[in-house]
Amino acid sequence: MKRLKYLLLLLLLIPTLVNAASGTIKVSSSSQVVVNNTITVTVTLSSGASWDMDLSYDKNYLKLTSASGEGGGTHMVNTSTGKPNRTYTFKFKALKTGSTTIKVSSYEVYADNMTEMNITVSNKTINIITQEQLEASYSKDNYLKSLSVTGYDLNKAFDKDESNYSVDVPEDI
């Protein structure tokens, strides 16, 4: 019995290890956008009862056009429990060519018991290109098997190496 008392006393004196809850914040979008086009970015928080976080981006490359963050901005906050996962959506207009990163710059995430959670964050790098750069990346394989216009004849016989043809049609067609 004496040993049991010492064992219980020893267990009370040894600090217990507490495993902190963990979660993720993921910034996602397409990896490429053309200048003057819009790109949609989502920020997904998995796990967490309450949070306070900010999205940051380079205003020289991107202009925020709409957001589901607080007040239509890049601040995201939740102070109530019950909904552990949340996705925010942000739309940006690409302003100039280059590479830029959208990231969660600051964050605090808490579990239901209000202990701070360990969070893994993934950011997103976006390559902004011109329309000409996009078109230059298209395949140069333009070989057709055949070419025809129903009811009409081409001005010359089809040749896979030829890219210019014409068809004569009446004015009312």
Side-chain angles (χ1 to χ4, degrees):
M1 185 70 166
K2 193 173 185 179
R3 281 188 188 172
L4 184 59
K5 286 181 184 178
Y6 285 123
L7 182 59
L8 288 173
L9 183 60
L10 186 61
L11 288 174
L12 290 173
L13 294 176
I14 296 175
T16 58
L17 297 175
V18 177
N19 290 329
S22 63
T24 61
I25 299 172
K26 182 177 182 180
V27 180
S28 57
S29 73
S30 58
S31 296
Q32 184 170 280
V33 63
V34 173
V35 172
N36 292 322
N37 286 359
T38 299
I39 188 166
T40 300
V41 175
T42 58
V43 176
T44 304
L45 173 70
S46 66
S47 298
S50 60
W51 55 84
D52 188 349
M53 53 189 181
D54 289 295
L55 189 68
S56 67
Y57 63 96
D58 188 332
K59 292 179 173 87
N60 293 311
Y61 289 94
L62 299 168
K63 178 182 178 185
L64 183 65
T65 59
S66 70
S68 62
E70 299 305 313
T74 58
H75 186 73
M76 298 159 279
V77 63
N78 180 47
T79 56
S80 62
T81 60
K83 190 173 183 184
N85 300 324
R86 176 78 191 265
T87 298
Y88 294 89
T89 303
F90 302 88
K91 292 191 179 194
F92 294 92
K93 179 180 179 182
L95 300 175
K96 68 178 187 176
T97 61
S99 182
T100 188
T101 300
I102 298 176
K103 58 187 169 186
V104 175
S105 56
S106 64
Y107 58 90
E108 292 180 49
V109 181
Y110 297 92
D112 277 328
N113 62 4
M114 294 312 292
T115 58
E116 191 164 5
M117 297 177 63
N118 293 322
I119 299 295
T120 303
V121 179
S122 66
N123 301 314
K124 184 65 180 184
T125 298
I126 299 169
N127 188 29
I128 304 172
I129 62 172
T130 64
Q131 183 66 34
E132 293 77 22
Q133 289 171 313
L134 177 65
E135 290 173 8
S137 71
Y138 294 163
S139 171
K140 303 298 183 228
D141 181 5
N142 61 351
Y143 293 122
L144 298 176
K145 186 175 180 181
S146 66
L147 180 65
S148 64
V149 179
T150 305
Y152 300 96
D153 294 324
L154 300 175
N155 67 330
K156 52 189 161 191
F158 176 75
D159 178 350
K160 69 177 182 149
D161 293 317
E162 177 63 44
S163 59
N164 295 310
Y165 294 90
S166 64
V167 175
D168 291 324
V169 297
E171 285 185 31
D172 61 338
I173 298 294

